[in-house]
């Protein structure tokens, strides 16, 4: 038995209040309290494990979404942006130009005689040429510029906050960097057309002006730069 006593004084008379409890009942209560504590600790551990699992799943979903977004806007062969991302970025720059007249330029580069390389050296070699030239061009632009493969052997570079004189200097560096690459079957060059965005330009008109300048560069002998006037 467990005895608990308390003295209670009333005048000159003392009384004692006693509480008797079988120890078996106390043990049961203590056991119940201990089990309740264990249950609470287990529930807390399960909740923490569930939170960790949820956080891990969230991170995995975020990483998957990032990979999918990257794949959706990246050319799988060269690793640069694809035409879809190019068109998104061009639309953004055109909208910005309409709001604030912030200048930008478009550079189109086409590998000279690329079909001849594929026919004589094979498509594997042609793929390596595309990859090497894309890497070289990527290394020669700013972080804010957008390099994209927009055709079989055609690349576009969007140059925000860039007027034509600066765009020409960048094009000259790109032309020289590609020409310095060494191939066992001989040199590989590119032709480049440039256009600066002008009032009234659309995605189609700006591309057409740069493409027209690119065509003139090829007609003039390739491995050179031609610039489009504000309006052809």
């Amino acid at each position: 038995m467990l005895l608990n006593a308390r003295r209670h004084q009333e005048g000159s008379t003392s009384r004692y209040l006693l509480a008797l409890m079988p120890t078996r009942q106390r043990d049961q209560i203590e056991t119940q309290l201990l089990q309740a504590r264990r249950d609470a600790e287990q529930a807390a551990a399960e909740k923490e494990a569930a939170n960790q699992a949820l956080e891990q799943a969230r991170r995995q979903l975020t990483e998957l979404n990032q990979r999918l977004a990257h794949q959706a806007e990246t050319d799988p062969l060269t690793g640069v942006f694809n035409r879809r991302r190019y068109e998104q970025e061009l639309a953004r720059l055109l909208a910005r130009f309409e709001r604030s007249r912030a200048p930008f330029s478009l550079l189109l580069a086409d590998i000279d005689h690329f079909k001849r390389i594929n026919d004589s050296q094979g498509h594997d070699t042609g793929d390596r040429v595309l990859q090497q030239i894309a890497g070289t061009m990527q290394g020669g632009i700013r972080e804010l510029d957008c390099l994209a493969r927009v055709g079989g052997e055609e690349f576009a570079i969007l140059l925000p906050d860039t007027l034509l004189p600066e765009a020409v200097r960048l094009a000259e560096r790109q032309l020289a960097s590609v020409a310095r690459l060494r191939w066992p079957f001989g040199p590989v060059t590119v032709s480049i057309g440039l256009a600066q965005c002008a009032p009234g330009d659309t995605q189609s008109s700006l591309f057409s002006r740069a493409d027209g300048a690119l065509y003139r560069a090829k007609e003039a002998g390739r491995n050179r730069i031609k610039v489009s006037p504000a309006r052809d």
Side-chain angles (χ1 to χ4, degrees):
M1 299 293 289
L2 180 66
L3 171 65
N4 186 24
R6 182 165 63 90
R7 181 182 179 182
H8 183 67
Q9 189 73 29
E10 292 183 357
S12 60
T13 303
S14 295
R15 297 175 182 273
Y16 291 88
L17 302 178
L18 303 179
L20 298 175
M21 181 184 294
T23 55
R24 182 179 61 185
Q25 185 178 358
R26 185 194 67 175
D27 292 343
Q28 289 175 347
I29 294 174
E30 288 181 346
T31 300
Q32 292 171 356
L33 289 174
L34 181 59
Q35 185 61 46
R37 177 182 295 176
R38 289 172 177 168
D39 291 344
E41 291 174 349
Q42 181 178 357
E46 291 174 352
K47 181 179 179 181
E48 178 63 23
N51 287 338
Q52 291 178 356
L54 182 63
E55 178 62 23
Q56 182 178 5
R58 187 193 64 79
R59 288 197 301 267
Q60 290 173 343
L61 181 60
T62 299
E63 292 171 0
L64 177 61
N65 287 336
Q66 289 173 344
R67 288 198 300 271
L68 291 174
H70 178 73
Q71 291 171 2
E73 63 184 18
T74 302
D75 174 56
L77 176 63
T78 62
V80 300
F81 289 130
N82 58 19
R83 191 178 189 102
R84 176 175 179 269
R85 174 59 185 269
Y86 155 80
E87 290 176 350
Q88 291 175 343
E89 188 66 13
L90 178 54
R92 185 187 70 82
L93 290 175
L94 280 169
R96 180 170 173 251
F97 180 80
E98 288 298 319
R99 290 193 309 270
S100 62
R101 287 295 185 261
F104 73 95
S105 296
L106 170 61
L107 180 155
L108 291 182
D110 190 86
I111 301 175
D112 296 326
H113 302 299
F114 185 72
K115 185 178 183 301
R116 184 186 303 172
I117 296 172
N118 270 337
D119 292 343
S120 62
Q121 306 300 320
H123 288 278
D124 287 344
T125 298
D127 287 349
R128 288 195 294 273
V129 169
L130 286 168
Q131 291 167 342
Q132 187 71 31
I133 289 179
T136 298
M137 296 180 73
Q138 184 72 62
I141 62 176
R142 304 165 299 178
E143 187 174 349
L144 58 86
D145 299 331
C146 174
L147 168 65
R149 184 184 176 198
V150 294
E153 65 270 20
E154 189 172 36
F155 296 89
I157 304 178
L158 288 168
L159 303 166
D161 303 318
T162 303
L163 299 173
L164 269 180
E166 185 181 353
V168 169
R169 288 192 291 271
L170 181 140
E172 290 171 345
R173 293 195 296 271
Q174 294 283 4
L175 206 70
S177 295
V178 171
R180 282 196 295 268
L181 297 174
R182 292 293 175 260
W183 302 95
F185 52 85
V188 177
T189 60
V190 295
S191 298
I192 294 177
L194 286 172
Q196 180 182 324
C197 183
D201 261 331
T202 63
Q203 291 193 37
S204 177
S205 67
L206 180 61
F207 186 90
S208 294
R209 293 198 293 111
D211 193 52
L214 173 61
Y215 179 80
R216 290 194 293 273
K218 287 187 172 292
E219 286 290 297
R222 295 182 170 83
N223 190 27
R224 66 194 64 230
I225 301 163
K226 290 293 182 179
V227 176
S228 171
R231 282 284 182 268
D232 282 345

